[in-house]
Amino acid sequence: MSARRKARLVPAGRLTTREKLWAAMRELKHFTVPELARAAGVDRHAYNIRDYLLGLVRADILFAKPPASPGCFTVYRLQRDLGVDAPRVRRDGSIPRESAQSRMWKSMKILRVFSVRDLVVHAALPEAPIAPGAALRYCQWLARGGYLTPLPREKGDVARYRFIRDTGAKAPQILSVKQLFDANTGEIVVGQDIQSALDDAEGASC
């Protein structure tokens, strides 16, 4: 497969486990769970691949052929290729709404200059409002990361931000990485890596 063709199968940036699996599905077309895990470079004992596959089957994105005999694996076939972006599905096949951070990121790129209230109004959905405190926290983190710059304001004015750094379609995420840090040695003794923190954050947004 050419590098150009391969690039169309894989989204840009750091991939979640779900995105790795989807890219491998698009390349393989037909696969068992072990074949998919191997192609995606995913530990099938550490990540519940079958739940994701079950959701895709129930959403009519995959077709599952039952095992031919005891001891054999179910064979899956990709019947609807939805493009480079990995579909997000629940176990029952339903599609979760887009996360608040993703909606705010898209809104920032449209508004360019905005207050927290502007952002909340633009990014909220009737069935999924965004708390002003959550929007403010996201803006503050993005400002610290160099994506936004706070604008000067007169006394009594609301805080406003200018969008200055667009790194792509995926919204930057505020991650909670669970780690045990020993201040005596300056070492992280045990805990999550970025990959597992990304996967946890993705699961929490469903």
Side-chain angles (χ1 to χ4, degrees):
M1 179 179 294
S2 69
R4 185 176 179 182
R5 170 62 178 161
K6 183 77 171 178
R8 289 200 295 268
L9 294 176
V10 181
R14 179 70 176 260
L15 303 187
T16 64
T17 298
R18 175 178 58 87
E19 289 170 328
K20 292 178 183 179
L21 292 170
W22 177 248
M25 290 180 214
R26 297 184 70 214
E27 185 172 356
L28 294 172
K29 308 299 185 186
H30 295 78
F31 52 87
T32 62
V33 168
E35 289 169 344
L36 178 63
R38 186 164 51 251
V42 171
D43 182 351
R44 64 190 176 99
H45 302 293
Y47 187 89
N48 196 340
I49 296 175
R50 283 185 172 82
D51 274 0
Y52 185 44
L53 298 182
L54 179 60
L56 293 176
V57 169
R58 289 175 172 171
D60 294 323
I61 296 169
L62 295 181
F63 173 79
K65 181 180 179 181
S69 59
C72 293
F73 292 99
T74 298
V75 177
Y76 296 89
R77 183 183 79 243
L78 180 63
Q79 59 182 9
R80 282 202 297 145
D81 188 340
L82 303 181
V84 70
D85 293 325
R88 296 175 67 241
V89 294
R90 298 187 181 95
R91 197 170 185 271
D92 63 2
S94 61
I95 308 297
R97 70 174 62 92
E98 192 174 19
S99 72
Q101 289 184 9
S102 180
R103 285 182 276 129
M104 287 191 286
W105 177 248
K106 288 180 178 178
S107 294
M108 290 174 187
K109 294 198 281 186
I110 294 169
L111 296 171
R112 311 304 293 188
V113 175
F114 52 87
S115 67
V116 169
R117 177 174 173 76
D118 295 334
L119 186 61
V120 166
V121 170
H122 197 274
L125 298 173
E127 70 280 10
I130 297 173
L136 175 60
R137 179 170 175 258
Y138 192 50
C139 288
Q140 289 172 335
W141 271 102
L142 291 188
R144 289 170 63 184
Y147 299 89
L148 306 178
T149 185
L151 297 180
R153 57 173 174 163
E154 300 293 333
K155 184 177 180 180
D157 285 349
V158 297
R160 300 179 71 81
Y161 296 89
R162 184 185 301 278
F163 184 76
I164 58 172
R165 184 185 178 199
D166 185 354
T167 53
K170 296 180 182 179
Q173 299 179 55
I174 303 170
L175 299 179
S176 297
V177 182
K178 301 178 181 69
Q179 295 179 335
L180 176 65
F181 174 73
D182 187 335
N184 300 296
T185 63
E187 295 177 335
I188 295 172
V189 181
V190 67
Q192 285 183 308
D193 56 16
I194 292 298
Q195 184 69 65
S196 59
L198 274 173
D199 293 338
D200 278 359
E202 183 176 70
S205 67
C206 288

